[in-house]
Amino acid sequence: MPKGELETLLKKVRHAEPIPGFEDTWRQAETLQSPKRNTSLLPRRVLIPVAAAAILALLLVVGIQVALQSNGNDQILTVQNGIGDPSQSLARLTDMEPWTGKLDGLGTEWTFGFTTGENTENDAVDTSVMVASTSLPGDDMYESQTDFLLDLEIPTSIRAEERNRL
Amino acid sequence: MKRSPMPLPNEMGKKHDAALVAATYHDSLYQWALALSRRNKQEALGIVQQTYLEVIEGRANLLAAKDPRAFLFGVARKIASSRFRRRSILGRILGLAQPLQADIPGDNPEEAAATGEEVRKVRAALAELPARQLQVVTLVFMEGLTLEEAAISMGVSIGSARTHYHRGKKRLATLLKEVHNA
């Protein structure tokens, strides 16, 4: 079939095609407009900054929480440093006398004790840090230390710090 | 300050100007939408309306387009793809896949009488063409676009458009011959 004949046929089809009027189609399109846009309580130019501020505030709160938590760890470290010079070797730390310090956030005064133990990298740290409560009457500091050690998980942090120092 | 629910005069003016431009290409856009929807009238009308909606809501800046017709055709093509994709996904998930059926006058006696037999046969042949071939044939033969312009509207390379064009032309001629002999 020649191109011209095909073109004529298709033009005929095009002209025979009933086409919906422009006005009606445009008007129907207008009715499809999202009602949210006009009836929204907060226009987009307000909503976006508010949402951004809310996200920032959330991030700030999370950041503060993390900072506080890390500060708490720092306090543990500070207390630990109070034992002696942080640059002291582990051998020196393990030789120190039991001492008393307060950990913020726990609401109780805890006594930390360091036993003299074998100064090996694996054993000394694990066995040297102990926790006991002075507020429990009749408790012997050294007898109850293991339970508290397990309950509080504070020594875990200290052990971690100690390991880092090593 | 409370925002007025009515569009500002400037916005109204722009919308009015956009409507004037869109009106110029309305027939062509509808034909293109028919090709995109595999000649399903309802779907074609939906594509055209959604294209206008994009213009009305300002997501498609028709007034800034260098070639408004190509711009409208491009918007319509993206809308058609999006609608097709949505239908496919929903169809797959919900088991409601209903492929678009071409509207060919014949079932409706009134419409069949109003439309010539020859036109009806050509429409039936067009409905048999693969999507790309139908699109390029529509753009070139019905809308008088060059192959380069058709390629831009279809979002394909000129080489690809040329291939679809030649295949479409050949296939259409064969289909029309078959119909004629039958």
Side-chain angles (χ1 to χ4, degrees):
Chain A
M1 181 180 281
K3 187 186 168 187
E5 196 180 331
L6 196 61
E7 193 165 0
T8 310
L9 269 177
L10 290 170
K11 288 271 185 205
K12 210 182 276 183
V13 170
R14 189 203 193 282
H15 291 303
E17 196 74 60
I19 295 174
F22 170 75
E23 292 283 336
D24 288 343
T25 314
W26 185 268
R27 209 171 296 126
Q28 280 168 1
E30 281 179 323
T31 61
L32 292 175
Q33 271 183 285
S34 168
K36 285 177 196 165
R37 226 161 232 239
N38 296 329
T39 59
S40 173
L41 288 174
L42 286 174
R44 188 173 283 193
R45 64 182 172 185
V46 177
L47 191 65
I48 290 171
V50 167
I55 291 168
L56 276 176
L58 188 69
L59 288 174
L60 196 66
V61 167
V62 171
I64 288 171
Q65 291 280 0
V66 170
L68 281 177
Q69 207 165 348
S70 66
N71 272 346
N73 288 340
D74 287 348
Q75 281 173 338
I76 292 172
L77 184 61
T78 305
V79 170
Q80 185 189 345
N81 287 346
I83 300 165
D85 186 348
S87 64
Q88 294 283 352
S89 69
L90 184 69
R92 177 69 185 273
L93 273 174
T94 55
D95 287 340
M96 292 193 72
E97 290 295 316
W99 56 275
T100 303
K102 187 180 179 188
L103 282 178
D104 287 344
L106 294 177
T108 313
E109 191 175 58
W110 299 97
T111 301
F112 283 73
F114 291 85
T115 58
T116 51
E118 283 188 13
N119 183 23
T120 63
E121 188 174 329
N122 291 328
D123 295 336
V125 176
D126 290 341
T127 57
S128 65
V129 181
M130 294 167 290
V131 181
S133 169
T134 55
S135 61
L136 296 175
D139 267 1
D140 184 293
M141 181 176 164
Y142 292 104
E143 281 176 6
S144 57
Q145 59 197 355
T146 309
D147 294 335
F148 284 99
L149 186 81
L150 292 172
D151 288 341
L152 283 173
E153 296 181 1
I154 293 167
T156 310
S157 307
I158 295 174
R159 277 205 299 272
E161 292 295 338
E162 285 293 338
R163 285 206 176 99
N164 288 340
R165 273 161 50 108
L166 288 171
Chain B
M1 195 178 98
K2 195 178 175 185
R3 191 179 178 178
S4 164
M6 289 294 290
L8 299 170
N10 190 31
E11 288 174 10
M12 283 178 72
K14 276 185 180 175
K15 204 165 115 177
H16 181 256
D17 291 347
L20 286 178
V21 176
T24 314
Y25 300 104
H26 177 68
D27 290 7
S28 296
L29 181 63
Y30 182 73
Q31 291 294 339
W32 173 231
L34 267 180
L36 289 169
S37 62
R38 301 195 59 84
R39 300 199 64 78
N40 182 295
K41 289 177 182 174
Q42 199 182 346
E43 179 69 5
L45 186 59
I47 292 170
V48 174
Q49 281 176 357
Q50 218 174 320
T51 304
Y52 291 160
L53 184 63
E54 294 294 308
V55 174
I56 291 166
E57 293 196 328
R59 286 190 292 274
N61 191 355
L62 181 61
L63 296 175
K66 281 183 187 170
D67 182 349
R69 181 175 59 177
F71 179 79
L72 283 173
F73 280 16
V75 174
R77 175 171 52 81
K78 284 175 188 163
I79 287 168
S81 309
S82 159
R83 289 169 73 104
F84 178 78
R85 204 164 37 243
R86 203 175 307 141
R87 190 180 294 111
S88 306
I89 293 167
L90 282 175
R92 236 175 285 145
I93 294 171
L94 305 173
L96 300 171
Q98 288 181 343
L100 290 173
Q101 297 291 329
D103 293 317
I104 304 162
D107 297 338
N108 181 345
E110 280 181 21
E111 199 181 354
T115 313
E117 181 63 16
E118 194 179 34
V119 169
R120 198 191 68 79
K121 284 177 178 174
V122 178
R123 279 185 188 162
L126 280 171
E128 293 288 313
L129 288 180
R132 292 288 195 199
Q133 293 176 18
L134 172 61
Q135 289 169 17
V136 72
V137 162
T138 302
L139 290 174
V140 174
F141 287 117
M142 291 186 177
E143 298 309 314
L145 267 66
T146 63
L147 264 178
E148 285 83 357
E149 290 169 331
I152 293 168
S153 295
M154 292 167 68
V156 297
S157 69
I158 176 71
S160 178
R162 191 172 285 123
T163 306
H164 291 307
Y165 169 72
H166 286 300
R167 286 182 187 163
K169 203 168 58 169
K170 200 173 163 186
R171 175 97 177 115
L172 193 59
T174 310
L175 284 167
L176 287 172
K177 209 173 177 182
E178 282 171 10
V179 171
H180 186 72
N181 290 339

